[in-house]
Amino acid sequence: MNEAALREAIVETGRSLFARGYAVGTAGNISARLGDGFLVTPTNSCLGTLDAARLARLDARFHHVAGDKPSKEVFMHRAFYQARPATGAVVHLHSTMATAIACLAQPRERRPIPPLTPYFVMRIGRDLPVIAYFRPGDPAMEAAIAAEAANASAVLLANHGPVVTGATLGDAVAAAEELEEAAKLALLLRAARPRELTPAQIDDLLKTFG
Ligand code: 13P
């Protein structure tokens, strides 16, 4: 995808996420990799009303070179791009159900959401590490995420929300949506004893869908 198309895709993704309630106010941010750098949503912007021309452009070393000031969470995005070179996009949301789990789970927990459905396992993988609480925009978050990112395509920030990656923007958004649904199911079934996928079923999914 060329830069103009990627800019439009970020705007459309933000509009869609906002329209469907995955983002409210100015919460959440999106980034995507270019051949020679990154596009990042501006800080304090509403994902529902992004302007393609004003997205922040960073060079390959994450220096801001054009557009509005980037998200204060650029460190959390950088942690994933550096630890997982195949990452093409990162989506951070405060989506309600995943954030509820992020308020219930203990920091350092690795599986805060049970493996109930195949698409959760296929899109998120085996582990969803819970990162200790950091103030939004705290650069110290980067090292904490980097310590987990090589082995996890997504994390939950304690009392804050999910950060989800993908090879493409579409992949990252689809994974963020699956995570939100899995969190909703986990909360709905919390008092019950739902049947979980077995380790053999999880292995089969990961082997088949990677
Ligand atoms: P930014 O507006 O700086 O992107 O921050 C929003 C957010 O979601 C903080 O976690």
Side-chain angles (χ1 to χ4, degrees):
M1 206 184 279
N2 66 28
E3 179 169 342
L6 192 54
R7 284 176 180 270
E8 288 304 330
I10 290 173
V11 170
E12 183 46 40
T13 295
R15 186 183 301 136
S16 170
L17 289 170
F18 190 83
R20 292 178 295 138
Y22 286 89
V24 298
T26 62
N29 32 73
I30 300 170
S31 67
R33 190 193 290 274
L34 293 164
D36 59 352
F38 300 88
L39 292 172
V40 185
T41 51
T43 190
N44 295 324
S45 57
C46 170
L47 291 191
T49 56
L50 295 169
D51 179 341
R54 293 178 61 175
L55 295 177
R57 199 188 199 293
L58 311 185
D59 66 16
R61 299 171 69 191
F62 293 88
H63 295 138
H64 182 209
V65 290
D68 287 356
K69 188 176 172 197
S71 169
K72 61 182 162 299
E73 305 288 30
V74 73
F75 305 103
M76 76 166 64
H77 295 245
R78 183 167 69 179
F80 274 108
Y81 287 116
Q82 291 188 337
R84 301 177 73 81
T87 299
V90 179
V91 175
H92 166 55
L93 297 171
H94 299 173
S95 54
T96 309
M97 302 299 169
T99 303
I101 300 280
C103 296
L104 289 166
Q106 296 302 319
R108 286 180 291 282
E109 211 174 309
R110 306 198 65 75
R111 296 181 187 166
I113 296 178
L116 296 175
T117 63
Y119 266 69
F120 173 62
V121 174
M122 287 154 57
R123 292 288 191 184
I124 298 295
R126 216 182 285 274
D127 286 349
L128 176 66
V130 180
I131 306 296
Y133 174 78
F134 289 91
R135 187 188 70 238
D138 183 345
M141 201 187 293
E142 181 168 8
I145 296 175
E148 300 290 354
N151 298 312
S153 64
V155 297
L156 276 186
L157 306 172
N159 297 73
H160 184 166
V163 191
V164 183
T165 69
T168 65
L169 180 58
D171 286 343
V173 173
E177 294 182 18
E178 283 298 334
L179 171 53
E180 183 65 4
E181 292 308 303
K184 193 189 294 180
L185 276 179
L187 292 167
L188 268 174
L189 296 171
R190 207 159 167 241
R193 286 169 165 267
R195 181 177 51 257
E196 296 186 7
L197 296 177
T198 65
Q201 288 168 334
I202 293 170
D203 286 346
D204 173 53
L205 287 166
L206 294 176
K207 206 164 68 188
T208 308
F209 298 103

